[in-house]
Amino acid sequence: MAKVSKTKKSNGGSKAVKGKIIDSPADQPIDSAISNMSERIVKIQRDLLMPAIVFDHFGVQNTITFFGASRIKSPEVAEANLAEIKKRAKGVSRLSQAMKKKLADAERDKRMSKYYAMAEELAMRLQEWINLKKFGERDNFYIMTGGGPGIMEAANKGAFKAGGRNLGLTITIPDEQRQNDYVTKELGINFHYFLMRKFWLLFFAKAIVVFPGGTGTFDEFFEVFTLMKTRKTHETFPIVLFDREFWQKAVNFRHLIDSDVISENDLKYFKYVESVDEAYNFIVKGLEARLKL
């Protein structure tokens, strides 16, 4: 908390009280409050306007947006890490608790790496579909992600491998400041505020792909889920959730329905999928119906 000097009036005039701790906005000088608000508004305006200029310049109007965990490793990295830990554990008669945890974590990372491979393949196949359709400049589709590691990197990599220009919208936070190497350079934008980053991740979306993820992925998915079920989107569009078991363990939708806080009909806004083929066919069918192809 900041320390400021404050003048206190008394019968004998004004008395300076130094080193006062500001415990609430009410204690804060009004000019300081306005200054902080102005700074925030400027940053929000920057997060809103700069992407708009970039997207307009490059004709970005339609995106297929991927969400998912930044922690998920590629199969190559996960396999190499597991092999290294197994090598270190080999010949040890009694593993320490720390080594057991490292081994268990590496085995989990290897299992989870399947999602990286699936995201990369799906993005590549969707980009190939985009390439074949030869949309006009203003009607083209782009693969979009949050621009960081994990599932985001996998999707950008898949689009890149298929020759597509793709977008990455990063955010300034300690664990995810690095933009992955597969985002098209001029279409990579870094944001200060989550609310504006999420706005642009969803604004042009014509399909959403959601892989297992943490709080950020949940925030992004439930945002678009809420917008659809409250009719705040102009239309519905394909949303796929990879791995029914993961999502049903993580979110008890049946309990929400039984508690009458959502309805059975709300579940129609997304589809569980287990394979790249299933996701690809559902998304492409939905987009082609929308575009009347």
Side-chain angles (χ1 to χ4, degrees):
M1 293 180 286
K3 291 186 177 182
V4 299
S5 294
K6 188 174 181 180
T7 298
K8 182 179 179 181
K9 288 187 176 181
S10 67
N11 292 335
S14 297
K15 180 180 178 182
V17 179
K18 295 184 178 180
K20 179 178 174 60
I21 302 297
I22 295 176
D23 289 317
S24 71
D27 294 324
Q28 205 168 16
I30 188 65
D31 58 336
S32 177
I34 291 174
S35 175
N36 290 341
M37 184 182 296
S38 299
E39 182 180 349
R40 290 182 180 183
I41 290 173
V42 168
K43 288 179 179 178
I44 289 172
Q45 288 176 324
R46 177 265 183 201
D47 276 1
L48 175 65
L49 296 176
M50 192 181 82
I53 293 168
V54 172
F55 296 153
D56 182 67
H57 178 74
F58 289 100
V60 176
Q61 296 289 324
N62 303 299
T63 63
I64 301 172
T65 303
F66 281 65
F67 297 132
S70 62
R71 298 184 181 188
I72 292 177
K73 297 175 174 60
S74 70
E76 296 78 14
V77 169
E79 183 63 47
N81 289 347
L82 179 58
E84 175 62 24
I85 293 174
K86 283 183 174 180
K87 182 180 178 181
R88 289 162 54 190
K90 187 176 182 180
V92 178
S93 58
R94 186 179 179 84
L95 296 178
S96 66
Q97 289 301 315
M99 180 57 75
K100 286 181 180 179
K101 185 177 187 310
K102 286 182 179 180
L103 184 58
D105 288 348
E107 289 172 341
R108 176 207 60 212
D109 290 347
K110 180 64 173 67
R111 291 193 302 273
M112 294 293 287
S113 71
K114 68 181 181 181
Y115 299 120
Y116 185 108
M118 295 168 83
E120 180 181 341
E121 182 184 351
L122 178 59
M124 183 169 63
R125 289 180 58 181
L126 288 170
Q127 185 62 57
E128 290 170 346
W129 172 79
I130 293 168
N131 297 345
L132 287 172
K133 293 302 177 183
K134 297 181 179 178
F135 295 105
E137 183 178 344
R138 287 283 167 177
D139 297 319
N140 198 28
F141 276 75
Y142 295 83
I143 301 299
M144 176 184 277
T145 78
I151 293 299
M152 296 170 282
E153 177 183 276
N156 289 126
K157 183 178 180 181
F160 173 82
K161 288 172 70 174
R165 294 159 64 82
N166 59 89
L167 299 96
L169 311 187
T170 51
I171 183 77
T172 303
I173 56 175
D175 296 332
E176 200 181 297
Q177 291 187 29
R178 176 185 65 84
Q179 186 178 91
N180 71 65
D181 295 332
Y182 303 99
V183 174
T184 301
K185 185 176 181 181
E186 58 268 30
L187 294 176
I189 299 173
N190 191 60
F191 287 78
H192 184 80
Y193 286 111
F194 272 107
L195 78 159
M196 297 313 304
R197 178 190 188 225
K198 188 165 55 175
F199 172 84
W200 284 115
L201 282 168
L202 298 176
F203 189 75
F204 291 124
K206 301 302 185 294
I208 299 283
V209 180
V210 190
F211 279 89
T215 54
T217 302
F218 276 56
D219 179 40
E220 291 154 348
F221 163 65
F222 277 102
E223 174 83 6
V224 69
F225 182 36
T226 301
L227 290 173
M228 279 197 174
K229 69 187 294 295
T230 55
R231 311 298 193 272
K232 288 297 183 179
T233 55
H234 292 301
E235 57 190 330
T236 60
F237 48 77
I239 302 177
V240 296
L241 271 61
F242 266 83
D243 193 340
R244 177 190 292 266
E245 182 180 6
F246 173 89
W247 286 101
Q248 289 188 336
K249 283 184 176 180
V251 185
N252 192 337
F253 287 107
R254 176 48 54 189
H255 177 65
L256 297 179
I257 293 169
D258 292 343
S259 300
D260 195 31
V261 292
I262 68 171
S263 68
E264 187 88 39
N265 198 46
D266 291 335
L267 302 188
K268 73 179 182 181
Y269 292 110
F270 59 85
K271 176 180 176 63
Y272 295 115
V273 296
E274 306 297 331
S275 69
V276 171
D277 282 344
E278 190 178 5
Y280 174 83
N281 291 334
F282 180 73
I283 292 170
V284 168
K285 181 179 179 181
L287 292 178
E288 290 186 343
R290 178 183 181 278
L291 299 168
K292 297 180 172 56
L293 296 177

